[in-house]
Amino acid sequence: MTIQSSREFAALARVTPVGIGRQRVAPRSANPVVNYVAGERIFEQGERAGKIFMVKSGVVRFYHLLADGRRQISAFYMPGEVFGFAQKDTHEFFAEAVEDTSVSVHDAQEALTEESVEAVLASLFSAQRHLFVLGRQLAGERLASFLIDLDKRQGGLLRVELSMTRSDIADYLGLTVETVSRGLSRLAKGGLIRLHSARSIEITKPQVLLDMVE
Amino acid sequence: MTIQSSREFAALARVTPVGIGRQRVAPRSANPVVNYVAGERIFEQGERAGKIFMVKSGVVRFYHLLADGRRQISAFYMPGEVFGFAQKDTHEFFAEAVEDTSVSVHDAQEALTEESVEAVLASLFSAQRHLFVLGRQLAGERLASFLIDLDKRQGGLLRVELSMTRSDIADYLGLTVETVSRGLSRLAKGGLIRLHSARSIEITKPQVLLDMVE
DNA sequence: CGGACAATTGATTATGCTCAATACTGGTGG
DNA sequence: CCACCAGTATTGAGCATAATCAATTGTCCG
């Protein structure tokens, strides 16, 4: 991990210069930017919390891990998105760079502005939507949800570029690698998507895909 | 639904008199308290948002519903807990009283204090923990998680009083009624719990139950 | 070109769902 | 007070979806 310097997180407090609690004024000082290579850890379960992170470029997987190896990725964080909030003083999740990634680092206290509240709310709604996917959708529907969501976050180009492995997708969707693979093959055979490569997917029938999830 | 009056939510802003954005000072005026009978709706999908609620007594189920009837309860809210945050200006979830329930009602703007941020964070972490349950746990483990969680929130008396039906539990855990019923019978046969009645469960082997979930 | 990892595909198994029947419970009215 | 009824819960039998186990195939680096 390499460290640079920047100040783009000042934007977080641009609208409202009145913060919460201790620190009333948004940080005007430069915030450090940290670069991680693919697979590198950003923080881990049990580690002391206190910083929050905004993705500048790349993708971050945020997950909980059990002793027996079961892993649940609660979210992939993409540019502009914020993560790292902790309930207690230690993290209960791992955060890792999926691909080469850079994040800006901010003090949790200073960053508690109106816009970081928005970020927490965004995480909450995203998690709640994902609860429905995990609790009530079949494998094919989960994949459809995933592709639609990724496409939207990548600009709606109907061409999804995956930086994560099938294993990451599986652990995000509560499935196995094999089921993810079979599901994508099946969507491709049905003509809903085209697998240009394993990691580059064209959505050829967006409406049908949408109809699958509601 | 019947309306009373109170002001206990003023506590939300006691510590920090500086609010976020528009409204700087916590509301000192009385906040309305609303009572709902079992099964009554508090708000519904599509309804205009803007109020947040704190449970005074009773239990609230908060869920998303699909056209084909599939339902996912993201959370049960119990006394002291806060719900009703919405991302857009309309709700994307239903909220209903599980049993006779009273809640205090607060303006979303005024209520955005440091402590309501805590409430949002609490919802977020709870949702993230639940994602693991839905994505990676077997039926028996989900039930164990559920019972442990409920017992903790009811004071750790090892005697869980359920006000929700098996169907509610199923829709919370991503299972069917039958699987919930079978799972509880199985835990009872194994001696881990005792079903004093369908709605009153004694946890006889808390450690074994705990070991099931990690 | 070789090697490690990633992805796909197949065969079989298992967990939980669906369909179905029966039992239990609490409230209501005769 | 008791019988009845509707909603709730339990249990069983068979089935379907996704997991597991296993074998290839593909791809990216060095």
Side-chain angles (χ1 to χ4, degrees):
Chain A
M1 113 185 180
T2 60
I3 302 188
Q4 300 174 343
S5 179
S6 91
R7 58 166 61 206
E8 70 290 330
F9 210 73
L12 263 197
R14 209 188 294 127
V15 171
T16 308
V18 179
I20 308 177
R22 224 161 295 185
Q23 187 101 11
R24 285 178 51 93
V25 178
R28 288 278 159 244
S29 59
N31 281 107
V33 166
V34 186
N35 297 310
Y36 298 89
V37 298
E40 201 175 355
R41 181 149 302 163
I42 298 171
F43 57 76
E44 61 183 36
Q45 241 163 255
E47 189 173 318
R48 180 147 222 89
K51 299 290 181 187
I52 67 176
F53 305 85
M54 179 184 261
V55 179
K56 288 191 52 173
S57 65
V59 177
V60 172
R61 63 175 163 253
F62 187 70
Y63 65 92
H64 189 74
L65 191 63
L66 231 53
D68 63 8
R70 281 182 284 183
R71 181 177 74 150
Q72 178 63 46
I73 297 180
S74 16
F76 292 109
Y77 290 104
M78 319 250 280
E81 300 175 341
V82 178
F83 66 96
F85 305 101
Q87 193 165 29
K88 309 184 297 183
D89 55 355
T90 55
H91 286 292
E92 290 182 342
F93 287 81
F94 290 93
E96 287 170 0
V98 173
E99 57 182 88
D100 292 356
T101 295
S102 70
V103 301
S104 56
V105 184
H106 309 269
D107 190 89
Q109 298 295 338
E110 298 179 2
L112 261 189
T113 63
E114 185 171 281
E115 291 177 52
S116 68
V117 172
E118 290 298 318
V120 179
L121 283 170
S123 274
L124 173 61
F125 298 125
S126 157
Q128 286 174 340
R129 257 178 277 117
H130 200 43
L131 282 176
F132 189 92
V133 172
L134 297 190
R136 286 293 175 236
Q137 287 189 166
L138 302 175
E141 299 170 329
R142 297 185 200 197
L143 281 165
S145 296
F146 177 68
L147 291 174
I148 290 166
D149 179 57
L150 267 197
D151 179 55
K152 197 186 299 174
R153 290 157 80 190
Q154 289 183 3
L157 311 170
L158 299 184
R159 180 81 180 228
V160 180
E161 303 297 335
L162 303 171
S163 56
M164 64 288 287
T165 63
R166 297 292 189 263
S167 172
D168 285 333
I169 299 173
D171 286 346
Y172 177 65
L173 295 178
L175 302 170
T176 59
V177 191
E178 294 92 331
T179 301
V180 169
S181 189
R182 274 187 255 272
L184 291 173
S185 299
R186 179 167 248 270
L187 289 176
K189 285 205 185 75
L192 307 204
I193 62 174
R194 248 194 90 194
L195 285 159
H196 289 270
S197 78
R199 303 285 188 96
S200 181
I201 299 179
E202 183 188 347
I203 299 178
T204 44
K205 297 188 181 163
Q207 193 54 55
V208 183
L209 218 55
L210 271 167
D211 291 345
M212 284 182 66
V213 306
E214 57 190 84
Chain B
M1 116 184 179
T2 59
I3 301 188
Q4 300 174 343
S5 179
S6 91
R7 57 166 62 203
E8 68 291 329
F9 211 73
L12 263 196
R14 210 187 296 127
V15 172
T16 308
V18 179
I20 308 178
R22 223 163 294 186
Q23 187 102 10
R24 287 175 50 93
V25 178
R28 290 276 160 244
S29 59
N31 281 107
V33 166
V34 186
N35 298 309
Y36 299 90
V37 299
E40 201 174 357
R41 180 148 304 163
I42 299 171
F43 56 75
E44 60 183 36
Q45 241 162 254
E47 188 173 319
R48 179 147 222 90
K51 299 290 182 188
I52 65 177
F53 304 85
M54 181 185 260
V55 180
K56 286 192 53 172
S57 65
V59 177
V60 172
R61 62 175 164 253
F62 186 69
Y63 65 91
H64 189 74
L65 191 63
L66 230 54
D68 63 7
R70 281 181 285 182
R71 181 177 74 151
Q72 178 63 46
I73 297 181
S74 14
F76 293 109
Y77 290 103
M78 318 250 280
E81 299 174 342
V82 178
F83 66 97
F85 305 101
Q87 193 164 30
K88 309 184 298 184
D89 55 354
T90 56
H91 286 293
E92 290 182 343
F93 287 80
F94 290 93
E96 287 169 1
V98 172
E99 57 181 89
D100 292 356
T101 296
S102 71
V103 301
S104 56
V105 184
H106 309 268
D107 189 89
Q109 298 295 339
E110 298 177 4
L112 261 188
T113 62
E114 185 171 280
E115 291 177 54
S116 68
V117 172
E118 290 297 317
V120 179
L121 282 171
S123 275
L124 173 61
F125 298 125
S126 157
Q128 286 174 341
R129 258 178 274 116
H130 200 44
L131 282 176
F132 189 93
V133 173
L134 297 190
R136 286 293 177 235
Q137 286 187 167
L138 302 175
E141 299 170 328
R142 297 186 200 197
L143 281 165
S145 296
F146 177 67
L147 291 174
I148 290 167
D149 180 56
L150 268 197
D151 178 55
K152 196 186 301 175
R153 289 157 79 190
Q154 289 184 3
L157 311 171
L158 299 184
R159 181 79 181 231
V160 181
E161 303 297 335
L162 303 172
S163 55
M164 64 287 286
T165 63
R166 298 290 188 264
S167 172
D168 285 333
I169 300 172
D171 285 346
Y172 176 65
L173 296 178
L175 302 170
T176 59
V177 191
E178 294 92 333
T179 302
V180 169
S181 190
R182 273 187 256 272
L184 290 174
S185 300
R186 178 169 249 270
L187 289 177
K189 284 204 185 75
L192 308 205
I193 62 174
R194 247 194 91 194
L195 284 158
H196 288 269
S197 79
R199 304 286 187 93
S200 181
I201 299 177
E202 183 189 348
I203 300 179
T204 44
K205 296 189 182 164
Q207 193 53 54
V208 182
L209 219 55
L210 271 168
D211 291 345
M212 283 183 66
V213 305
E214 54 189 82

XYZ file of all heavy atoms in Angstrom, chain B residues 138-139 176 178-179 182, chain C residues 15-20:
168
model
N -27.408 -22.464 7.456
C -28.440 -23.467 7.238
C -29.652 -23.120 8.090
O -29.566 -22.309 9.024
C -27.917 -24.858 7.626
C -26.671 -25.317 6.869
C -26.187 -26.651 7.433
C -26.974 -25.449 5.381
N -30.758 -23.786 7.805
C -32.016 -23.474 8.494
C -31.871 -23.530 10.012
O -32.307 -22.612 10.722
C -33.109 -24.436 8.028
N -39.428 -21.244 4.886
C -40.884 -21.397 4.857
C -41.373 -21.688 6.271
O -40.594 -22.083 7.146
C -41.308 -22.574 3.964
O -40.711 -23.768 4.481
C -40.874 -22.354 2.524
N -43.049 -24.183 7.259
C -42.817 -25.592 7.591
C -41.394 -25.827 8.089
O -41.171 -26.551 9.064
C -43.072 -26.472 6.362
C -44.520 -26.495 5.890
C -44.800 -25.432 4.839
O -44.106 -24.408 4.850
O -45.709 -25.635 4.013
N -40.443 -25.195 7.410
C -39.047 -25.387 7.814
C -38.777 -24.777 9.188
O -38.034 -25.352 9.993
C -38.107 -24.776 6.762
O -38.362 -25.396 5.508
C -36.650 -24.990 7.121
N -40.421 -27.253 11.704
C -39.579 -28.449 11.824
C -38.290 -28.139 12.566
O -37.838 -28.929 13.412
C -39.228 -28.959 10.426
C -40.256 -29.906 9.848
C -39.733 -30.483 8.535
N -40.385 -29.865 7.394
C -41.533 -30.309 6.877
N -42.145 -31.341 7.397
N -42.062 -29.717 5.831
P -28.246 -32.228 4.497
O -27.021 -32.334 5.283
O -29.404 -33.114 4.720
O -28.738 -30.711 4.568
C -28.186 -29.720 3.695
C -29.301 -28.875 3.145
O -29.966 -29.570 2.062
C -30.377 -28.522 4.170
O -30.425 -27.115 4.249
C -31.654 -29.178 3.637
C -31.351 -29.319 2.143
N -32.024 -30.449 1.442
C -32.592 -30.213 0.195
O -32.582 -29.126 -0.341
N -33.168 -31.316 -0.386
C -33.233 -32.594 0.129
O -33.774 -33.494 -0.494
C -32.625 -32.767 1.431
C -32.658 -34.118 2.079
C -32.063 -31.702 2.015
P -31.346 -26.377 5.327
O -30.677 -25.117 5.665
O -31.716 -27.345 6.374
O -32.654 -26.029 4.482
C -32.514 -25.292 3.276
C -33.773 -25.405 2.452
O -33.981 -26.777 2.026
C -35.063 -24.998 3.172
O -35.793 -24.210 2.254
C -35.739 -26.345 3.445
C -35.342 -27.096 2.194
N -35.471 -28.554 2.228
C -35.142 -29.400 3.262
N -35.375 -30.660 2.975
C -35.889 -30.636 1.685
C -36.334 -31.691 0.846
O -36.355 -32.898 1.094
N -36.784 -31.226 -0.388
C -36.804 -29.897 -0.758
N -37.263 -29.637 -1.984
N -36.385 -28.905 0.007
C -35.956 -29.346 1.213
P -37.119 -23.432 2.594
O -36.805 -21.995 2.472
O -37.727 -23.971 3.821
O -38.035 -23.838 1.344
C -37.510 -23.728 0.020
C -38.488 -24.350 -0.955
O -38.421 -25.779 -0.860
C -39.931 -23.948 -0.707
O -40.550 -23.539 -1.923
C -40.582 -25.191 -0.120
C -39.712 -26.320 -0.644
N -39.576 -27.453 0.321
C -39.930 -28.753 -0.070
O -40.371 -28.943 -1.204
N -39.794 -29.775 0.813
C -39.314 -29.542 2.039
N -39.183 -30.582 2.865
C -38.945 -28.226 2.454
C -39.091 -27.215 1.581
P -42.063 -23.037 -1.928
O -42.143 -22.050 -3.014
O -42.471 -22.685 -0.553
O -42.913 -24.319 -2.352
C -42.560 -25.054 -3.531
C -43.509 -26.223 -3.722
O -43.162 -27.273 -2.785
C -44.982 -25.897 -3.463
O -45.748 -26.446 -4.530
C -45.303 -26.564 -2.132
C -44.328 -27.732 -2.134
N -43.880 -28.188 -0.789
C -43.889 -29.530 -0.508
O -44.262 -30.386 -1.287
N -43.439 -29.856 0.750
C -42.997 -28.991 1.725
O -42.619 -29.411 2.815
C -43.023 -27.593 1.371
C -42.575 -26.558 2.364
C -43.457 -27.261 0.144
P -47.324 -26.097 -4.675
O -47.584 -26.003 -6.125
O -47.657 -24.981 -3.764
O -48.034 -27.415 -4.112
C -47.620 -28.691 -4.619
C -48.242 -29.785 -3.774
O -47.509 -29.920 -2.541
C -49.705 -29.567 -3.390
O -50.410 -30.788 -3.602
C -49.634 -29.207 -1.912
C -48.424 -30.041 -1.478
N -47.747 -29.589 -0.237
C -47.271 -30.542 0.673
O -47.436 -31.734 0.414
N -46.658 -30.130 1.797
C -46.504 -28.824 2.037
N -45.885 -28.473 3.165
C -46.978 -27.824 1.126
C -47.593 -28.245 0.013
P -52.000 -30.873 -3.403
O -52.481 -31.832 -4.432
O -52.561 -29.509 -3.320
O -52.114 -31.545 -1.965
C -51.436 -32.772 -1.716
C -51.650 -33.190 -0.273
O -50.694 -32.508 0.576
C -53.037 -32.851 0.294
O -53.609 -34.033 0.829
C -52.759 -31.836 1.378
C -51.334 -32.210 1.788
N -50.602 -31.125 2.443
C -50.506 -29.818 2.044
N -49.786 -29.071 2.847
C -49.383 -29.949 3.844
C -48.600 -29.790 4.990
N -48.049 -28.620 5.347
N -48.388 -30.873 5.772
C -48.933 -32.044 5.412
N -49.691 -32.324 4.357
C -49.877 -31.216 3.601
